[in-house]
């Protein structure tokens, strides 16, 4: 898409991902003019639209392919973080699983200083987005922009996974977004007619038409360097595109929806952040906001890999068809483990990769470790320093080991007898809990659900208030996963879309 002349719009949205796409659509629906500035290209790569294309997108030109700093509690390894660099953002790169999280996640947000974000308040926003295949119900919406489907023809190994978990006593469920989140079953997915339905494709593409939308300007291939401020108010952004620096302006508000990395990095480059850190990297301080870049955390995952006794048939859905929600302690109010099944080999770092196989991926969804995002320098093109500080808290390590033990029990059930040849990771030599702790440190990775660097709240480390306004700067809001005070106990795409819905309501109420 061609870069447009720098004219003022009502709103300027930085990032066309899960939340940004929603904000754009809802503002357009109310007659406002919008300029969306996206670092990546248009989403015209067929790998984006195929539900089975996501592994091919990792480390491609459509992936920011972020890397953490060495993780001292994980054998000093650097972790790979795929992040979408394309219209749709990470919703064009993810596994298309539609999970909202537990009601307690959102009630905790409200209790900790974010009124209006409790479960009863956000459930209608989730439902408003949805066009669920089941239709309207207490738990789902119909007629919204976002298609949500069921997996109706699962892979035979996915069926084996569900049967194995049920044999161990886990309750089957047909809806992780229904009344009871715990149990084992098939995922709901943002897929329709065999095509990925990213946030951009769901919310914005349908209103573009052949010649675009008269009130929407889309600038792709544009990397935002900083927010432009005038007297303490955000009036636009400066961005690099086509080898030149350009400016874009908004008469109403600027919305950062650049993700957990991009939004925090943009604030810091704009001089909005911890004053001491900004001075260290040579950035002039415009607002001393100590919480920017703090509270970085993520769901953690490892790979319990099995070599198959025969080649697996191809799947028909998203390669991530089934999962289990359960708890390390039955007294918990909600699940803290989310083992995921993949009918492919999702390699465990430094372990062998069998030609034919499948993966039961132990995962934790209530991590306690917290890390930071910092600028490496004042250069807007330099990658920031990402330190999630994984496994720093004892609970995270022990819960992940619990998840590994559970997944090995599932993998050893009779339901897999027709498929299982041998366990490859952690492998038969891993017998004791200490062995599994070593395996976790050696192979821990990510669910690709990073959140928290522009935390919402009312304390000294909060970056945005409950209306998503950046403290100390007028006319500037953040709307993406970076505002999450704590990560929901599920995949973060659906909650990010909900944040976009909430942000749009807040913007429209103030207009």
């Amino acid at each position: 898409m061609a870069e447009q002349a720098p004219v003022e719009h009502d709103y300027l949205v930085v990032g066309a991902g899960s939340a940004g796409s929603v904000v754009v659509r809802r503002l357009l629906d109310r007659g406002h003019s919008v300029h969306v500035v996206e670092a990546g290209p248009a989403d015209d790569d067929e790998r984006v639209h195929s539900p089975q294309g996501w592994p091919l997108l990792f480390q491609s030109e459509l992936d920011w392919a972020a890397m953490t700093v060495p993780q001292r509690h994980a054998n000093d390894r650097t972790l790979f973080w795929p992040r979408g660099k394309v219209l749709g953002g990470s919703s064009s790169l993810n596994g298309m699983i539609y999970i909202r999280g537990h009601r307690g996640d959102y009630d905790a947000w409200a209790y900790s200083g974010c009124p209006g974000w409790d479960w009863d308040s956000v459930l209608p926003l989730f439902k408003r987005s949805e066009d669920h295949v089941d239709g309207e119900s207490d738990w789902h919406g119909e007629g919204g922009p976002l298609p949500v489907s069921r997996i109706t023809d699962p892979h035979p190994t996915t069926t084996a996974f569900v049967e194995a978990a049920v044999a161990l006593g886990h309750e089957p469920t047909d809806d992780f977004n229904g009344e009871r989140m715990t149990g084992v079953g098939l995922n709901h997915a943002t897929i329709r007619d065999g095509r990925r339905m990213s946030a951009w494709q769901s919310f914005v593409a349908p209103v573009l038409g052949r010649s675009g939308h008269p009130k929407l300007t889309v600038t792709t291939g544009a990397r935002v360097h900083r927010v432009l401020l005038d007297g303490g108010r955000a009036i636009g952004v400066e961005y690099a595109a086509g080898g030149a620096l350009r400016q874009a302006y908004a008469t109403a508000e600027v919305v950062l929806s650049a993700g957990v990395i991009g939004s925090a990095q943009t604030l810091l480059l704009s001089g909005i952040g911890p004053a001491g850190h900004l001075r260290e990297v040579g950035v002039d301080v415009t607002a001393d906001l100590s919480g920017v870049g703090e509270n970085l955390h993520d769901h953690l995952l490892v790979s319990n890999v099995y070599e198959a006794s025969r080649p697996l048939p191809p799947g028909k859905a998203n390669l991530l068809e089934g999962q289990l929600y359960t708890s390390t302690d039955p007294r918990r109010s909600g699940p803290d483990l989310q083992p995921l099944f993949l009918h492919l080999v999702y390699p465990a770092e430094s372990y062998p990769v069998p030609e034919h196989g499948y993966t039961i991926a132990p995962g934790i969804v209530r991590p306690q470790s917290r890390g930071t995002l910092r600028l490496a320098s004042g250069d807007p093109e330099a990658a920031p320093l990402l330190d999630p500080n994984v496994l720093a808290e004892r609970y995270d390590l022990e819960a992940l080991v619990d998840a590994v033990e559970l997944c090995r029990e599932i993998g050893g059930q009779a339901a897999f007898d027709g498929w299982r040849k041998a366990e490859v990771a952690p492998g038969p030599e891993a017998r004791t809990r200490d062995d599994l702790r070593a395996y976790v440190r050696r192979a821990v990775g990510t669910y690709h659900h990073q959140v928290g660097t522009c935390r919402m709240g009312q304390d000294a480390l909060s970056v945005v208030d409950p209306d998503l306004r950046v403290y100390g700067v007028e006319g500037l809001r953040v709307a993406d996963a970076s505002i999450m005070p704590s990560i929901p106990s599920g995949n973060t795409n659906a909650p990010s879309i909900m944040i976009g819905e909430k942000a749009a309501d807040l913007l429209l109420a103030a207009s």
Side-chain angles (χ1 to χ4, degrees):
M1 299 181 185
E3 195 272 327
Q4 304 291 318
V7 297
E8 285 189 331
H9 292 71
D10 297 336
Y11 294 92
L12 178 61
V13 179
V14 177
S18 299
S21 296
V22 182
V23 172
V24 170
R25 170 64 180 274
R26 298 311 188 188
L27 293 175
L28 291 174
D29 285 349
R30 292 286 289 272
H32 293 286
S33 63
V34 184
H35 186 176
V36 58
V37 180
E38 166 60 43
D43 58 341
D44 52 11
D45 189 311
E46 185 55 35
R47 294 172 296 177
V48 169
H49 303 291
S50 167
Q52 300 181 20
W54 59 265
L56 304 175
L57 295 168
F58 289 179
Q59 297 184 316
S60 73
E61 67 279 8
L62 305 182
D63 180 12
W64 285 102
M67 298 297 293
T68 71
V69 301
Q71 295 298 286
R72 62 184 180 278
H73 303 291
N75 295 359
D76 290 321
R77 296 163 45 238
T78 58
L79 307 184
F80 165 56
W81 284 2
R83 296 284 85 198
K85 188 180 181 182
V86 59
L87 290 178
S90 292
S91 75
S92 291
L93 198 80
N94 69 359
M96 292 149 283
I97 297 173
Y98 183 80
I99 295 285
R100 297 170 182 157
H102 192 267
R103 66 178 303 135
D105 301 329
Y106 303 99
D107 288 342
W109 290 7
Y111 183 78
S112 64
C114 303
W117 292 85
D118 58 282
W119 174 250
D120 288 341
S121 296
V122 301
L123 178 58
L125 300 175
F126 281 112
K127 292 174 65 177
R128 185 170 78 190
S129 291
E130 271 188 287
D131 187 20
H132 198 282
V133 67
D134 291 353
E136 179 76 23
S137 70
D138 289 345
W139 301 102
H140 292 292
E142 183 178 25
L146 181 69
V148 180
S149 64
R150 288 180 174 273
I151 293 169
T152 56
D153 188 8
H155 194 274
T157 56
T158 304
T159 301
F161 169 75
V162 174
E163 291 175 353
V166 169
L168 284 170
H170 297 280
E171 292 287 334
T173 181
D174 67 352
D175 190 354
F176 294 113
N177 298 302
E179 185 172 0
R180 178 174 55 84
M181 189 179 185
T182 54
V184 62
L186 303 180
N187 292 313
H188 296 191
T190 50
I191 299 171
R192 172 168 285 173
D193 298 329
R195 305 282 284 179
R196 171 199 292 273
M197 298 307 300
S198 70
W200 182 265
Q201 283 298 312
S202 298
F203 285 85
V204 184
V207 299
L208 288 180
R210 291 187 176 182
S211 56
H213 189 288
K215 292 201 170 185
L216 176 64
T217 297
V218 181
T219 302
T220 53
R223 183 159 183 168
V224 170
H225 283 188
R226 63 189 178 100
V227 177
L228 299 173
L229 301 171
D230 182 13
R233 180 176 182 84
I235 59 170
V237 298
E238 182 175 78
Y239 63 93
L245 281 180
R246 308 176 191 274
Q247 292 78 38
Y249 297 95
T251 57
E253 296 196 48
V254 175
V255 182
L256 297 183
S257 294
V260 69
I261 299 173
S263 289
Q265 183 181 18
T266 300
L267 288 177
L268 292 171
L269 290 167
S270 307
I272 303 166
H277 170 60
L278 294 175
R279 294 187 182 105
E280 286 175 0
V281 295
V283 174
D284 291 336
V285 179
T286 57
D288 184 3
L289 200 55
S290 57
V292 178
E294 296 286 336
N295 193 44
L296 176 61
H297 58 293
D298 189 10
H299 290 154
L300 300 182
L301 197 73
V302 287
S303 288
N304 177 204
V305 177
Y306 291 86
E307 182 179 7
S309 56
R310 52 195 163 106
L312 273 62
K316 299 178 181 179
N318 61 338
L319 311 178
L320 303 159
E321 299 174 351
Q323 61 189 8
L324 165 67
Y325 272 104
T326 188
S327 295
T328 54
D329 188 327
R331 295 171 297 179
R332 282 184 169 271
S333 61
D336 61 340
L337 303 183
Q338 186 190 9
L340 174 68
F341 184 77
L342 303 89
H343 57 81
L344 52 81
V345 175
Y346 197 68
E349 185 176 323
S350 77
Y351 282 83
V353 181
E355 181 180 3
H356 305 293
Y358 52 91
T359 308
I360 307 174
I364 63 170
V365 290
R366 293 182 182 268
Q368 295 182 4
S369 302
R370 297 293 186 268
T372 58
L373 178 152
R374 294 287 183 258
L375 296 179
S377 73
D379 178 4
E381 300 291 330
L385 303 175
L386 307 172
D387 183 7
N389 199 24
V390 301
L391 303 179
E393 295 291 342
R394 179 181 180 275
Y395 161 82
D396 292 356
L397 176 62
E398 297 304 319
L400 203 44
V401 171
D402 288 344
V404 174
E405 291 179 338
L406 170 60
C407 289
R408 295 180 97 182
E409 289 180 0
I410 293 172
Q413 291 297 301
F416 279 109
D417 285 354
W419 297 101
R420 181 183 56 250
K421 180 178 180 181
E423 183 188 86
V424 174
E429 67 278 4
R431 298 183 179 90
T432 68
R433 195 163 175 94
D434 276 344
D435 292 339
L436 295 182
R437 292 186 182 102
Y439 156 67
V440 165
R441 295 189 191 282
R442 172 180 167 184
V444 67
T446 169
Y447 231 132
H448 315 149
H449 297 162
Q450 300 83 23
V451 306
T453 52
C454 301
R455 179 167 69 84
M456 173 175 58
Q458 298 186 48
D459 64 354
L461 286 178
S462 298
V463 177
V464 299
D465 69 13
D467 288 342
L468 304 182
R469 297 172 297 201
V470 175
Y471 284 109
V473 183
E474 294 183 8
L476 180 62
R477 303 198 203 215
V478 180
D480 55 35
S482 71
I483 66 98
M484 295 181 182
S486 55
I487 193 167
S489 49
N491 307 62
T492 47
N493 184 48
S496 296
I497 289 171
M498 179 276 290
I499 289 168
E501 293 279 18
K502 180 78 167 180
D505 283 356
L506 295 167
L507 290 163
L508 291 167
S511 65

